[in-house]
Amino acid sequence: MRATTIHAPYDMRVEDVPDPVVVLPTDAVVRVLRACICGSDLWAYRGEAAREPGQRIGHEFLGIVEETGTEVSGVRRGDLVVAPFMWSDGVCDYCREGLTTSCEHGGFWGAVGYDGGQGEAVRVPYADGTLVTLPAAAASDDRLLAALLTLSDVMGTGHHAALGAGVREGATVAVVGDGAVGLCGVLAARRLGAARIIALGRHAARTDIARRFGATDVVAERGEAAVAAVRELTGGQGAHSVIEAVGTEQSMRTAVDIARDGGAIGFVGVPHGSGTGLDLGVMFNRNIALRGGVAPVRSYIPELLPDVLDGTIDPSPVFDLTVGVEAVPEGYKAMDERTALKVMVTN
């Protein structure tokens, strides 16, 4: 089959690799219909996250089950399924508690020795604990497939941030970051009943999507100017809930500075240089809570799926460029150069 591999910074290739097969009785093989490129993939692309030459990549995909192991009972051949960005067994203590990202037997797609989602097929460990079945009719609906694909990561991650930030009915929410996760955080905040949603972003195409998703205000400034703008919009108090979807020192510092006293920050931006963005003294004195991390999206899919299927939420606009698997390297280049927000890959 064809699959995307990474060999060095900015050196992405689509190569022939062995077809996946069932190895363990809990495995399934999924033929990929839709995959995508994540903003976090760019850290490997730019050389800021280590990868072995030839390692697979891609952690967001949905597709058709082609084969199952003898112990798989939750999915069967021909099922349309979506995979969260980590596999999990579904039965360990962490999985039972909903923290599937800490599964004792879990792992990331594209880890050494495992398939990545940016290819034609994937061997799925612990298929019963990992895969979620989708309505078969969705396979012929391109828009719905795009919306469902977001459940593999960005929609569930935006939801995780909103929960961490304590978004509630009537709250004022600020979202730091105008990438796909930040935009899905806007959508998640609206879904949870926020009365006012302030999106921080400088790119008109992205903030237009934020408004479409429910943002009531847009702040284009950065740093101290952004803090001043949010404070002005909130009568000097700041936001009850802040979603931090970038992961830099500046973005975390901004999140703290625009939070209302007694408020909360939900952080899901993969940290890169954000180690000094927090001042515990400030957070202590102002009673600001911080919660977030790697989103256990497998636990959120059953909750979010009905709303995607009935159109209550439609995250599909986060995809603004579609490529075939052979053009995945061009997709990385487009996202790195910020000419694309999020790239979808079709097979």
Side-chain angles (χ1 to χ4, degrees), residues 17-303:
V17 300
D19 290 334
V21 296
V22 167
V23 177
L24 299 173
T26 51
D27 289 348
V29 173
V30 172
R31 175 170 53 88
V32 176
L33 292 182
R34 299 288 186 276
C36 52
I37 301 173
C38 183
S40 63
D41 291 331
L42 296 179
W43 301 117
Y45 179 71
R46 295 166 179 159
E48 297 181 40
R51 294 291 188 275
E52 293 188 2
Q55 190 172 337
R56 307 285 181 82
I57 196 166
H59 55 259
E60 303 158 280
F61 65 93
L62 56 77
I64 303 292
V65 176
E66 292 209 321
E67 187 181 359
T68 60
T70 56
E71 295 181 13
V72 175
S73 60
V75 298
R76 60 184 180 180
R77 181 181 174 88
D79 283 348
L80 179 66
V81 293
V82 63
F85 64 78
M86 289 185 67
W87 68 81
S88 52
D89 64 20
V91 296
C92 75
D93 287 346
Y94 289 111
C95 286
R96 291 179 184 275
E97 293 167 6
L99 193 62
T100 52
T101 48
S102 291
C103 175
E104 296 171 2
H105 302 107
F108 285 93
W109 310 112
V112 175
Y114 291 91
D115 296 324
Q118 293 161 17
E120 293 183 323
V122 175
R123 178 176 77 88
V124 178
Y126 299 103
D128 279 345
T130 300
L131 299 173
V132 178
T133 304
L134 305 172
S140 59
D141 185 331
D142 287 341
R143 184 210 58 80
L144 183 56
L145 279 180
L148 292 168
L149 179 58
T150 68
L151 296 178
S152 65
D153 186 346
V154 290
M155 187 62 226
T157 298
H159 178 67
H160 186 58
L163 294 180
V167 177
R168 63 186 187 278
E169 194 82 29
T172 294
V173 180
V175 180
V176 181
D178 59 3
V181 170
L183 294 174
C184 286
V186 171
L187 196 55
R190 188 192 72 185
R191 179 180 174 273
L192 292 172
R196 191 174 194 182
I197 303 172
I198 304 167
L200 280 70
R202 296 179 296 157
H203 303 87
R206 300 181 179 201
T207 54
D208 286 348
I209 296 174
R211 290 189 184 277
R212 180 175 173 181
F213 281 2
T216 55
D217 304 274
V218 169
V219 169
E221 293 84 357
R222 298 183 70 183
E224 293 181 3
V227 174
V230 173
R231 290 281 173 181
E232 183 176 356
L233 286 170
T234 57
Q237 293 187 342
H240 300 100
S241 303
V242 180
I243 290 172
E244 195 286 308
V246 181
T248 63
E249 176 179 342
Q250 182 185 63
S251 64
M252 184 59 79
R253 194 178 302 280
T254 297
V256 173
D257 289 345
I258 64 176
R260 186 179 187 273
D261 286 14
I265 299 166
F267 71 106
V268 292
V270 177
H272 43 284
S274 57
T276 57
L278 291 172
D279 184 328
L280 292 182
V282 170
M283 297 181 70
F284 181 87
N285 290 334
R286 296 179 53 215
N287 279 282
I288 296 173
L290 179 69
R291 188 173 181 86
V294 185
V297 299
R298 176 60 181 85
S299 297
Y300 299 142
I301 292 174
E303 176 185 351

Side-chain angles (χ1 to χ4, degrees), residues 317-339:
V318 298
F319 296 109
D320 60 347
L321 177 63
T322 300
V323 299
V325 67
E326 298 295 336
V328 168
E330 287 78 5
Y332 272 87
K333 186 173 186 291
M335 285 184 61
D336 181 54
E337 295 176 350
R338 299 185 74 87
T339 58

